[in-house]
Amino acid sequence: MTIPSTVTTEQATEQAQGPGGPAVARRGGRGVLGGLSPRTSFILRRLGRVLVSLAIVIVATFLIVQLVPGDPVRAALGNSATPELVERTRADLGLNVPVPEQFVNYVSGLFRGDFGTAIGSQRPVADTIAQRFPVTLTLAVASFLLAAIGAFPIGVATAVSSRTGRRRLADLGVSGLLGVLIAIPSLLLAVGLIAVFSIGLKVLPAAGWGGFDQAILPVVALAVGPMAYLARIVHVEMLAVLEMPYMTTARSKRLPTHLVYLRHALPNMVTSTLTIGGIILTGMVAGTVLIETVFAIPGLGTSIVSSITSKDYPMIQGIVLVYAILVLGLNLLIDIALATIDPRSSITEG
């Protein structure tokens, strides 16, 4: 097709690509940050937000001690502690210097991996975190994997049956059950699992960590609610994808049913589902505190509960900071995964 001489090359390109095409192409070519690709600039923006959030968290954790009414050292040691012990502990914790100097020392210590010293045990907080962090991370990741593995087949199956109208009663039953599981608090579920499988049937231990059998009940207790919620999300997203025009085209080609779902349906529902899954995962990280306490698991959750009880503020500061870093890191990884799976997100999102 011959382009009239009155139309410039740039205008012809815009007409060929459609509205917004050149703008996206130009943005994709240069990127947002000085010639970088859209994916790289997207990741850098997300990294910048993470760093800002981390700075806010560091300030907030520092203020934990400063905002405690009265003397935090006296509160931690109790009224029976001698004035000499209180002053010596204050000096060991660096609380006998002005607040700005305390903040500088706190931040510089964090960069060295020094989270301070626990008041109760007189051990470095970093040692306790290094010992207990793998337990908490294992519990959260294992529970999320179980939730995801269970949610996808349930959500896809109920969506397909709802669309075709087959097994309508079974679909309604599954949807109702998922709603009940979402509504059950994890604490109540954990207690129920202990009552049935530990006290009643005596087939699984009610506490501890280290063996596979000890991990079953806490992982299930933490995973069931998120699994039900994620299955509902997969159900809704799958229904929306199944009504898209490209799905009608794929079905019209008389492709095998499993290929239609695997090649065309699942890839197009992954992005939104992964976004919700990331939010669920960060919530499960926070949920480990309750589950670890119920099952007496030696993780960060039980440590922070005991530290709050004993008013061990350096330990509280360190564990809260680690939880925040873990959540921010997971969110960053999810954003990177989204930009990799769906490059459009690196262009359309700010």
Side-chain angles (χ1 to χ4, degrees):
M1 178 178 179
T2 304
I3 300 175
S5 57
T6 56
V7 180
T8 65
T9 303
E10 183 177 356
Q11 291 172 332
T13 304
E14 181 174 355
Q15 293 173 1
Q17 292 181 337
V24 174
R26 288 195 298 269
R27 188 176 179 182
R30 292 197 310 266
V32 179
L33 301 175
L36 297 177
S37 67
R39 179 172 177 269
T40 302
S41 59
F42 172 83
I43 293 173
L44 289 177
R45 290 196 303 272
R46 288 295 186 266
L47 181 58
R49 295 180 183 181
V50 167
L51 294 177
V52 172
S53 300
L54 181 59
I56 295 174
V57 170
I58 289 175
V59 174
T61 54
F62 171 76
L63 292 176
I64 289 177
V65 174
Q66 307 302 323
L67 298 179
V68 172
D71 187 350
V73 176
R74 170 64 69 181
L77 295 178
N79 294 328
S80 59
T82 63
E84 293 77 11
L85 177 59
V86 172
E87 289 303 320
R88 186 168 66 251
T89 304
R90 287 180 59 83
D92 293 340
L93 296 176
L95 299 178
N96 57 343
V97 297
V99 173
E101 187 176 346
Q102 290 182 37
F103 180 72
V104 172
N105 294 336
Y106 177 67
V107 174
S108 61
L110 293 179
F111 279 104
R112 299 192 306 269
D114 181 9
F115 290 82
T117 303
I119 296 177
S121 63
Q122 293 298 309
R123 291 182 54 196
V125 174
D127 290 351
T128 302
I129 292 175
Q131 179 183 358
R132 293 177 175 253
F133 176 75
V135 176
T136 297
L137 184 62
T138 301
L139 175 61
V141 172
S143 301
F144 179 76
L145 291 177
L146 177 61
I149 292 172
F152 271 88
I154 293 173
V156 171
T158 54
V160 172
S161 62
S162 296
R163 182 183 177 278
T164 58
R166 297 177 300 173
R167 304 180 181 90
R168 186 68 177 175
L169 290 178
D171 175 57
L172 291 175
V174 172
S175 298
L177 178 61
L178 292 178
V180 171
L181 293 177
I182 293 173
I184 297 177
S186 58
L187 173 61
L188 182 60
L189 181 61
V191 173
L193 291 174
I194 292 174
V196 173
F197 293 99
S198 299
I199 300 175
L201 300 177
K202 294 182 172 59
V203 294
L204 292 172
W209 186 263
F212 177 78
D213 58 339
Q214 293 176 313
I216 293 176
L217 291 185
V219 167
V220 171
L222 187 58
V224 166
M227 179 186 68
Y229 183 75
L230 187 58
R232 294 286 291 270
I233 298 299
V234 173
H235 173 88
V236 173
E237 293 297 328
M238 192 67 176
L239 282 178
V241 168
L242 291 176
E243 299 303 322
M244 292 295 179
Y246 57 80
M247 290 299 299
T248 303
T249 303
R251 284 190 289 265
S252 68
K253 295 179 181 179
R254 300 186 181 277
L255 296 174
T257 303
H258 69 279
L259 290 181
V260 173
Y261 292 133
L262 291 177
R263 291 184 179 179
H264 301 279
L266 290 179
N268 287 284
M269 59 165 286
V270 166
T271 302
S272 56
T273 304
L274 182 60
T275 303
I276 300 298
I279 298 173
I280 291 174
L281 177 57
T282 55
M284 293 174 74
V285 171
T288 58
V289 175
L290 184 61
I291 296 301
E292 287 179 8
T293 303
V294 173
F295 290 96
I297 297 174
L300 293 179
T302 52
S303 292
I304 194 170
V305 171
S306 62
S307 299
I308 292 173
T309 303
S310 62
K311 300 179 181 179
D312 194 336
Y313 297 106
M315 184 67 74
I316 297 173
Q317 284 179 310
I319 296 178
V320 168
L321 184 59
V322 168
Y323 268 112
I325 292 174
L326 181 58
V327 170
L328 291 173
L330 289 173
N331 283 328
L332 179 61
L333 291 177
I334 292 165
D335 287 335
I336 294 174
L338 286 173
T340 303
I341 295 173
D342 185 7
R344 293 172 297 178
S345 63
S346 63
I347 296 177
T348 59
E349 293 189 20

